[in-house]
Amino acid sequence: MFDPVIAPSGTLLGLLQRGRGDGTLHALTAPRAEALAALNHCVLRDPRHDWQVENRSLYYARLFLDLNGELDEIEAHLFEVDDVFDDEESRTGLALAVLGHLASYGRRDALELLRRYAASGSNWAWALDELALRDDDAGLRALAAPVLARFGTDPEGEAALATAVRDAFEPRPWRLWADDPRESVSTRVRAAQEAGCFDLWQRQMRPAGPRPGWSVQAVLEWAQQGVERGAALHVPAARCLAAVAGPEDRPEILAAATDGTDGARSTALRYLADGNDPDAFDLIELAVATGSPAVVEAALDSFERMRSIAAVDRARGWARRPDPLGAAAGRVLACLGGAQDRDPVLAALREAVRGEGPDAPTLWTLVDGTGRLGIVCAAPVLRHIYRETASSHLRGRAARALAATDPSFATGFAVECLWDCEETTREIAARHAETGDARVVERLRRLAADPAEEAEVQTAVRSRIGPDTAAM
C-alpha cells in the first residue's frame, strides 16, 4: 500500500482525507465543483494509513448523496488500463465500497457500475462481495458466467476457483450459483465448494509447529527458525513454553532471556512476563539495553502486557527514562496507574506529540489513559491531536478523552463528530453533543432514520431523543 499524502488539516481536502465531520460541513457550504473534486480525490486515492481498519466508505457515500455527485470519475478509475496491471485491493477497494453504500441508498448507477466491474475488473471479488449484500438474485445469477470464465477448466484453474470459493467473504453468490439450473455453472461451483472444504480439512490435519512432548529447547529452536524465515513466533512459542516447561527448566529459560538467540530471547521474555516472574523486570531492562531491535520490541511488548502491582511500581521508577523503556512505562501507567500518575502520563503525552507528531503509535494508549485519569490540563494537547492526526481511530480516542476532560466538548468538537467517518466517534457525539444547536437536533434525527447507520450509534441517538423529537 502506498503512503498517502495528507493535505493540511485546515483545508477542505485535508478535512475530507481525515474523515472529520467538519469535512462534510465545509463541503456542503463550498462551491459544488470544488467539493466534488476534493471528494473524488479522496475516493480515488485512498487517504487511510491503515485501509483495513479505518472507515471512510459510508462517510464519502453520504457526501456523494448530499452533493448529488456523479460517478464518472469513479467509473474512469475502475476501468482504466492500470486495472489490468495493478490488482492490489487498495487501488479500487475504497471506490467499490463507496459504490456499495450508494447502491444501498438506491443509486441505480452505482449498482450497475458494480455489476460491470464484477464481470470484468481485476478486483472482482470485492465488487462481488458488495453486490452480495445489495443485489437481487437475478443480478447475481447473471454474473455467474463471467466470473467462472475467469478460471480455466484445467487443474490449476479449478484449484484457483476452489480457493476463491473458500475465501469468499460473502458466500451468497456462490450458494446461488451452486443451485443454478445451468449444469455447467452448478457442477463447477459445487465441485469447488467440496474441494475447498477438503483443503481446509487437510490443513487442519497437518498443523505446523510444536507437538506434545516437545522440550523447552525444541520450542526455543522453533521460535528462532521463525525469525530466520521472517516470521515472529515468540508469542505462540511462549504459550507452548507455558505448556511444556516445569520448575526444573527455569535456569534454561533465564539463560535464554539473558543472551539467547533473538527468537529464544523474545520467547523467554514473553514467557517470564506472562508468568509475573520476579526476574522478568531486570531481564527486560537488560534486553532493552543490549538486545537487537526485534528483541527490544518483544521486551517492551512483554512489559506492557504485565498487569501486576509490581509492574506498576516498576513503571513508576522507569517513567522518567528518556528511552523506549521510559515510553513503555508511561503507557503502562496510562493503562493501570492511579491519580498520582497523572503527571508522568501527561509528560509522556506531551513528549510523544513533540517528538513524534500527532500520529505517533504510542499516542493511542496515552490518549486513552489521559481520558481514564481525567487529566483536565491535557485538553489542549488532545485538541491538537484531534485536529491534526490522519488516523480516524486515534481521533476517535481523542474525542473520547476530550469528553472526559474538556468542558467545551459538548458544544465544540462533539457537534462535528456527529458527521465523523468512524461510527464509534459518532456514538460518542450522539451521547454528548449539546442539543441546543439546531444542527445537532437535525443530525440526530437523520442518523436515527438512516438504515445504513450502525446499531450502536442509533441506540445512543435514541437515548437523547424520545418519540416526540420536537421536544428536544
Side-chain angles (χ1 to χ4, degrees):
M1 172 84 181
F2 59 88
D3 189 22
V5 176
I6 305 299
S9 61
T11 65
L12 175 58
L13 177 59
L15 290 169
L16 291 178
Q17 286 178 315
R18 288 168 171 80
R20 278 183 56 183
D22 258 5
T24 293
L25 297 175
H26 279 65
L28 294 177
T29 59
R32 181 173 178 273
E34 178 186 344
L36 283 174
L39 177 57
N40 279 309
H41 185 283
C42 294
V43 173
L44 306 187
R45 301 168 185 82
D46 194 335
R48 295 171 293 181
H49 284 281
D50 191 342
W51 63 276
Q52 293 180 309
V53 299
E54 291 189 47
N55 296 314
R56 292 291 189 281
S57 54
L58 180 59
Y59 172 83
Y60 293 143
R62 283 171 167 168
L63 187 51
F64 260 112
L65 290 176
D66 290 339
L67 296 173
N68 193 26
E70 302 83 5
L71 303 181
D72 296 353
E73 291 196 36
I74 293 181
E75 180 179 10
H77 176 72
L78 292 177
F79 294 101
E80 67 182 354
V81 68
D82 283 354
D83 194 62
V84 177
F85 304 103
D86 184 358
D87 59 357
E88 290 292 326
E89 290 183 335
S90 57
R91 194 190 79 85
T92 54
L94 179 57
L96 295 171
V98 168
L99 290 176
H101 284 299
L102 289 173
S104 69
Y105 280 118
R107 286 281 297 260
R108 186 74 185 181
D109 52 347
L111 182 66
E112 295 293 342
L113 199 50
L114 278 172
R115 288 173 173 172
R116 283 178 52 205
Y117 189 80
S120 61
S122 66
N123 195 10
W124 61 272
W126 191 312
L128 187 62
D129 285 338
E130 296 291 341
L131 289 167
L133 298 173
R134 286 133 182 145
D135 208 352
D136 55 29
D137 288 356
L140 290 175
R141 287 194 179 100
L143 290 171
V147 168
L148 291 179
R150 295 174 177 275
F151 303 94
T153 55
D154 58 342
E156 285 189 8
E158 297 298 353
L161 176 59
T163 299
V165 174
R166 184 195 68 209
D167 296 342
F169 191 74
E170 294 291 343
R172 180 177 165 229
W174 301 102
R175 290 173 179 168
L176 278 174
W177 300 342
D179 295 328
D180 196 284
R182 293 167 291 182
E183 188 172 346
S184 60
V185 172
S186 58
T187 300
R188 286 194 75 189
V189 173
R190 286 174 185 168
Q193 288 174 328
E194 293 174 1
C197 292
F198 181 69
D199 177 62
L200 180 60
W201 175 78
Q202 283 186 313
R203 287 191 292 170
Q204 291 173 338
M205 293 297 290
R206 295 195 302 267
R211 303 285 197 278
W214 270 31
S215 66
V216 167
Q217 183 60 34
V219 173
L220 296 177
E221 289 175 355
W222 177 66
Q224 180 57 26
Q225 290 167 9
V227 171
E228 293 166 359
R229 296 196 309 270
L233 299 177
H234 64 277
V235 174
R239 290 197 295 267
C240 292
L241 276 188
V244 305
E248 69 280 3
D249 298 305
R250 188 169 181 272
E252 182 179 359
I253 295 173
L254 291 176
T258 302
D259 59 1
T261 62
D262 282 4
R265 194 173 188 183
S266 298
T267 300
L269 289 169
R270 180 65 169 245
Y271 168 80
L272 294 169
D274 286 352
N276 290 313
D277 190 284
D279 288 329
F281 300 114
D282 292 340
L283 290 169
I284 287 170
E285 187 172 16
L286 177 65
V288 171
T290 65
S292 67
V295 169
V296 171
E297 181 179 355
L300 296 175
D301 183 60
S302 297
F303 171 56
E304 290 184 53
R305 284 175 50 84
M306 301 180 77
R307 292 295 182 265
S308 64
I309 295 175
V312 176
D313 289 340
R314 187 60 67 102
R316 287 171 178 150
W318 286 341
R320 299 297 182 183
R321 291 176 56 137
D323 65 358
L325 190 54
R331 293 189 292 271
V332 169
L333 294 178
C335 292
L336 304 174
Q340 69 270 36
D341 301 307
R342 288 174 177 170
D343 287 346
V345 171
L346 177 59
L349 179 73
R350 288 171 170 164
E351 181 59 31
V353 173
R354 186 184 305 114
E356 302 179 59
D359 291 310
T362 189
L363 288 176
W364 291 53
T365 303
L366 293 174
V367 165
D368 285 350
T370 301
R372 184 182 71 84
L373 295 171
I375 307 176
V376 175
C377 57
V381 183
L382 293 172
R383 287 194 289 265
H384 172 76
I385 295 170
Y386 177 96
R387 292 189 188 97
E388 299 300 327
T389 182
S391 167
S392 54
H393 276 199
L394 178 56
R395 182 176 64 252
R397 289 169 181 257
R400 182 177 289 105
L402 283 167
T405 60
D406 187 359
S408 69
F409 178 72
T411 56
F413 285 140
V415 176
E416 76 153 279
C417 285
L418 289 168
W419 284 264
D420 198 88
C421 66
E422 296 290 344
E423 66 268 16
T424 52
T425 307
R426 296 195 297 275
E427 180 184 353
I428 295 167
R431 297 189 185 282
H432 292 278
E434 175 55 59
T435 55
D437 189 324
R439 296 175 302 169
V440 172
V441 176
E442 178 57 33
R443 183 60 175 173
L444 289 174
R445 289 172 177 154
R446 182 169 178 178
L447 292 175
D450 191 337
E453 188 52 79
E454 295 292 335
E456 292 82 359
V457 178
Q458 293 192 325
T459 297
V461 169
R462 294 187 186 105
S463 72
R464 303 292 303 282
I465 62 177
D468 182 11
T469 57
M472 292 182 59

